[in-house]
Amino acid sequence: MPVVTRFAPSPTGYLHIGGARTALFNWLYARHFGGTYLLRIEDTDRARSTTEAIDAILDGLAWLGLTHDGEIVYQFTRAGHHAEIARSLVETGNAYWCYCTPEELEAMRESARKEGRPIRYDGRWRDRDPAEAPKDVKPVLRLKVPTQGTTIIRDLVQGEVSVANDQLDDMVLLRGDGTPTYMLSVVVDDHDMGITHIIRGDDHLTNAFRQHQLYQAFGWTVPKFAHIPLIHGPDGAKLSKRHGALGIDAYRDMGYLPEALRNYLLRLGWGHGDDEIISTKQAVEWFDLDAVGRAPSRIDFAKLENLNAHYLRESNDQSLVDLIAPDLQKIINRDLSLEEKARLQAAMPGLKPRAKTITELTESAVFYVATRPLHIDEKAKTLLDTEAVKVLGLLRKDLESLSTEWKREQLEGAVRRFCEVANPPLKLGKVAQPLRAALTGQSTSPPIFEAMEILGKDQSLSRIDDVLKGMSLQ
């Protein structure tokens, strides 16, 4: 039977990191076996489901590159079908109408609390004649679950797990207003979508027993279950907002690349020997559920940053220019010229090894496209004292008259000669540091002669002129 998996988020918030990993595992499993990966939006909670959340989920999945097959299924639109299917269970004797009043249900709960028993419905309408039903109560539809024996799930991650049937009460399938419950909708949709493997977080493991029973009541084939341990924070506690950004959009805004985040999420709970850097092609080739661990994974931002730095170094220079261009334009408050974009592409081999995120890459590239006169930061200003500015004035004359190519090797040679013939001779740092401050506005940057070559002769000399005139130091 062809593999069919699904990712089924509830649109009550952003696509969080755990949901993204679940989507990735489902996507990889389907791709590994040449199967189908489907997307279902479980929007039955009308009070909390929002269009904005749906858009955020779809945008996050698209950014991660987890493209689904077929049309998106919106669960709410199928509510009528869910209810119709549920009512068919009454005819087969697998469900019944329960006419308990709210007061009766509360009395059951209170009695269980006093006696220290688990709070469960006591089945009082299970075999009762509906003719005895009170006329003013809108009944709920309950599943008639087995009262003896055991429900066993052979989970592809957790192994064999079971629960005694007498520990599960007759769950509600349709509420008093006729609307279907979550458990019912999930089972009907998974069946209708032909889902063969349900891969999700292990916080759903208890739901699996009830869903298993519902499949049996319908006489449907039960999918294979695989419940993945949750992601915990660095401290081992359940992941929460206090551990940092949780939404995929936040990771994107923090400057992580989708391929780096995919790689990182893959290694949260799954492994392939000692391999850490795993391409998407390798992931599809290698992924299977037998390599998913049973223990929770801990998020590690340092490891994510290191992975991201690797993918930055491996990225195409032009693609990185395209990624940082929008934020650069916001910073300099204008569009980039074609010349500036070409300058950035030339600079990228020197910039990307120094950055761990797109954010860092953007910040380090600003000086290449900054509008003159350059803003000089406070630390760089300390390098441009009166004596340093005087030295720059003398150096400028040598640079302007440089007859060789404006290349980093020739520029370094010219500055070294300038230092040697100065009276008294100057150390290279005494000239290079003020030069760096004048050309970049910073005390640190890529190698200064590399930066000079990329900036070009006119831009470099003009920036020095701004410092000599005091324009950049005001």
Side-chain angles (χ1 to χ4, degrees):
M1 179 184 296
V3 166
V4 182
T5 66
R6 50 76 161 173
F7 177 52
S10 297
T12 55
Y14 48 68
L15 175 63
H16 59 80
I17 198 76
R21 186 188 63 168
T22 298
L24 174 65
F25 280 18
N26 277 280
W27 184 86
L28 285 173
Y29 194 76
R31 296 292 178 261
H32 175 77
F33 287 102
T36 303
Y37 162 71
L38 301 176
L39 178 63
R40 180 171 74 236
I41 302 296
E42 298 190 336
D43 55 349
T44 52
D45 186 344
R46 304 310 289 171
R48 298 174 59 212
S49 296
T50 66
T51 301
E52 292 76 17
I54 293 174
D55 290 343
I57 289 168
L58 298 181
D59 184 54
L61 292 172
W63 178 73
L64 280 170
L66 304 180
T67 306
H68 62 273
D69 301 310
E71 297 294 321
I72 300 173
V73 172
Y74 290 89
Q75 194 166 69
F76 178 73
T77 65
R78 294 171 47 79
H81 173 64
H82 300 155
E84 181 183 0
I85 292 292
R87 287 190 289 269
S88 71
L89 290 175
V90 178
E91 299 171 9
T92 61
N94 288 298
Y96 61 93
W97 296 104
C98 170
Y99 292 86
C100 282
T101 64
E103 292 75 19
E104 286 178 309
L105 292 172
E106 180 53 38
M108 280 183 218
R109 288 190 285 266
E110 184 59 29
S111 175
R113 280 192 287 265
K114 285 181 179 179
E115 297 173 15
R117 294 183 287 105
I119 297 174
R120 298 192 190 98
Y121 171 68
D122 62 10
R124 64 183 60 181
W125 279 93
R126 185 180 174 101
D127 298 307
R128 194 168 170 182
D129 188 348
E132 301 176 23
K135 305 228 182 275
D136 58 345
V137 175
K138 292 182 177 179
V140 300
L141 184 66
R142 290 183 180 272
L143 178 69
K144 187 180 285 188
V145 302
T147 56
Q148 297 180 332
T150 304
T151 295
I152 299 172
I153 294 174
R154 291 173 177 83
D155 193 274
L156 297 177
V157 172
Q158 303 295 332
E160 185 175 296
V161 287
S162 63
V163 65
N165 288 331
D166 61 8
Q167 298 300 303
L168 302 174
D169 60 3
D170 294 344
M171 68 172 171
V172 174
L173 302 179
L174 296 179
R175 303 180 184 90
D177 62 1
T179 58
T181 59
Y182 166 79
M183 290 291 193
L184 170 68
S185 297
V186 166
V187 168
V188 175
D189 282 346
D190 281 339
H191 170 264
D192 289 356
M193 294 168 69
I195 303 303
T196 62
H197 293 74
I198 296 174
I199 305 169
R200 58 190 179 185
D202 64 7
D203 52 334
H204 286 278
L205 183 56
T206 54
N207 292 341
F209 296 112
R210 291 191 174 278
Q211 290 164 4
H212 188 284
Q213 291 181 337
L214 191 48
Y215 271 101
Q216 290 184 316
F218 281 122
W220 296 340
T221 300
V222 182
K224 294 185 183 340
F225 289 98
H227 289 90
I228 307 162
L230 300 181
I231 301 172
H232 285 185
D235 57 359
K238 187 176 179 181
L239 197 61
S240 65
K241 290 182 179 179
R242 68 186 175 85
H243 293 112
L246 300 181
I248 289 302
D249 57 337
Y251 287 86
R252 177 171 53 186
D253 293 344
M254 289 159 63
Y256 295 108
L257 294 168
E259 53 268 39
L261 192 56
R262 281 200 309 270
N263 190 156
Y264 181 70
L265 290 176
L266 174 64
R267 293 290 288 110
L268 277 179
W270 179 89
H272 187 270
D274 295 327
D275 294 293
E276 290 292 340
I277 296 170
I278 302 171
S279 69
T280 300
K281 181 180 178 182
Q282 289 172 321
V284 169
E285 180 183 344
W286 295 340
F287 188 83
D288 206 341
L289 294 169
D290 58 1
V292 176
R294 296 187 186 182
S297 304
R298 295 193 184 192
I299 199 161
D300 183 338
F301 284 101
K303 185 174 286 188
L304 174 56
E305 280 198 348
N306 289 334
L307 264 179
N308 203 66
H310 165 80
Y311 281 97
L312 271 177
R313 292 192 298 271
E314 297 296 311
S315 293
N316 172 271
D317 293 340
Q318 182 58 58
S319 69
L320 291 177
V321 172
D322 294 340
L323 276 175
I324 68 174
D327 283 338
L328 281 175
Q329 290 176 158
K330 289 178 184 176
I331 293 170
I332 64 178
N333 198 30
R334 59 176 174 79
D335 291 340
L336 293 170
S337 67
L338 292 176
E339 179 187 349
E340 287 170 327
K341 289 181 179 179
R343 192 185 298 162
L344 288 171
Q345 185 167 355
M348 204 53 69
L351 290 173
K352 62 186 184 183
R354 302 166 62 88
K356 289 187 175 180
T357 66
I358 290 294
T359 304
E360 288 183 5
L361 184 66
T362 303
E363 292 170 351
S364 66
V366 171
F367 81 87
Y368 277 118
V369 295
T371 303
R372 295 181 38 235
L374 230 57
H375 168 73
I376 309 290
D377 68 31
E378 292 305 313
K379 196 169 182 180
K381 281 182 180 178
T382 63
L383 301 173
L384 293 170
D385 57 20
T386 303
E387 184 60 31
V389 172
K390 181 180 177 182
V391 169
L392 281 178
L394 297 172
L395 175 63
R396 191 218 182 275
K397 295 177 181 177
D398 280 18
L399 292 175
E400 184 176 26
S401 61
L402 190 63
S403 58
T404 56
E405 286 187 292
W406 192 266
K407 299 293 184 183
R408 64 196 73 185
E409 295 83 4
Q410 286 75 18
L411 291 166
E412 181 177 356
V415 174
R416 287 187 180 278
R417 285 192 297 275
F418 172 83
C419 293
E420 291 168 0
V421 301
N423 188 17
L426 298 169
K427 291 185 177 179
L428 181 62
K430 283 291 186 180
V431 178
Q433 281 297 80
L435 186 59
R436 185 189 312 278
L439 294 179
T440 71
Q442 304 162 5
S443 58
T444 59
S445 73
I448 190 56
F449 302 114
E450 173 187 317
M452 289 178 72
E453 177 186 330
I454 293 167
L455 284 168
K457 185 172 185 177
D458 290 344
Q459 184 69 207
S460 297
L461 295 179
S462 295
R463 291 186 180 194
I464 293 173
D465 287 340
D466 290 340
V467 170
L468 298 179
K469 296 172 185 176
M471 295 173 64
S472 293
L473 299 174
Q474 294 175 357

